[in-house]
Amino acid sequence: MAKVISFQVPKSQREFVRYQEDRGAHFYDKLHQHPQLQLTVILEGKGQLLSGDYVGRFQPGDLFFLGENAPHVFRSDPEYFEEGTELKSSGNTIFFDFQALGKALGELDELQSMRKFEEFQGLCFQVQGETAERIKSIFPQAEKSEGLHRFQLAFQMLNWLEEARGDLVRLNEPGLMRGLSEKDGSRMNRVMQFLLENRFRSITLEEAAGQAHLSKEAFCRFFKLRTRKTFTQYLQQLRISEAQKLLQETDLGISEIAYKVGFENLSYFNRSFKSHTGMTPREFKNLA
């Protein structure tokens, strides 16, 4: 079985910062985690970001910051996986490996403020406002830089994140999927892939439990412990996320969208949508 959860960032053992470009039809779509902190800007492509109890969307211009061992997946929308598609997904990422700093992180006074990021283990954030604009403005320099210059740019970004306050919006709750074992990570990945690929049809609890090779009772405990949601609540959130996309990007009617994303009852869709977003589908569409 592929070790999908213990994803490793290719690097030198003595490299604090690494720059990476992702280019293709879609992003890496397996649930994974790594000890390096991650700062990613989306340039092209749309889809869903899943991390712990968080289900949300990403689009061009978004900037995300992930703490150490935060399980996550940037799942591109279905059309990006279609054979022969001309759609593109692209993003730039900087990984920060605090382990490479060794004892310096704990011993040098100048680096003490960086220990704040130890509290971000397992967490996922969206960077907004002025902080996001500052960081995105120097991302292109990181691509071309090397040596001390790249090191300086990395610490400049981290300094802005450390001072971000309200611009750093936490997306998930702590402690849910932090540091998953390989066994649980692989199990959770199978379940996530199954839900993402089948979320628009009727899915039974037995089917989902079968993906995890667990009884229904054991699966319910396993799933809620790691997402803080029941299977039904999580599936509903996936569908609402897709409905938001369709309301923003298409001229489909609300009832058509409701049935398209898997709701069999329009009034239930309206109630569920308002419960998740704080507004009705019509109000959301008018804001788009």
Side-chain angles (χ1 to χ4, degrees), residues 16 35 37 68 96-119 151 155 158:
F16 170 64
L37 284 72
E68 177 185 349
F96 305 95
D97 189 356
F98 279 74
Q99 295 177 6
L101 297 177
K103 295 181 180 180
L105 188 62
E107 296 180 354
L108 293 180
D109 290 341
E110 292 86 351
L111 297 182
Q112 291 310 298
S113 63
M114 294 295 102
R115 302 201 66 171
K116 172 182 178 178
F117 296 109
E118 294 175 352
E119 303 170 7
F151 193 79
F155 271 93
L158 289 170

Side-chain angles (χ1 to χ4, degrees), residues 160-196:
W160 285 333
L161 289 168
E162 196 263 333
E163 297 176 345
R165 295 187 173 84
D167 284 349
L168 196 61
V169 180
R170 193 177 75 192
L171 301 179
N172 62 353
E173 292 298 322
L176 289 175
M177 294 205 298
R178 179 172 57 195
L180 281 175
S181 68
E182 185 176 315
K183 180 180 179 180
D184 281 354
S186 296
R187 177 176 283 160
M188 202 64 197
N189 179 65
R190 288 196 304 271
V191 172
M192 291 294 190
Q193 294 295 319
F194 175 76
L195 292 181
L196 287 165

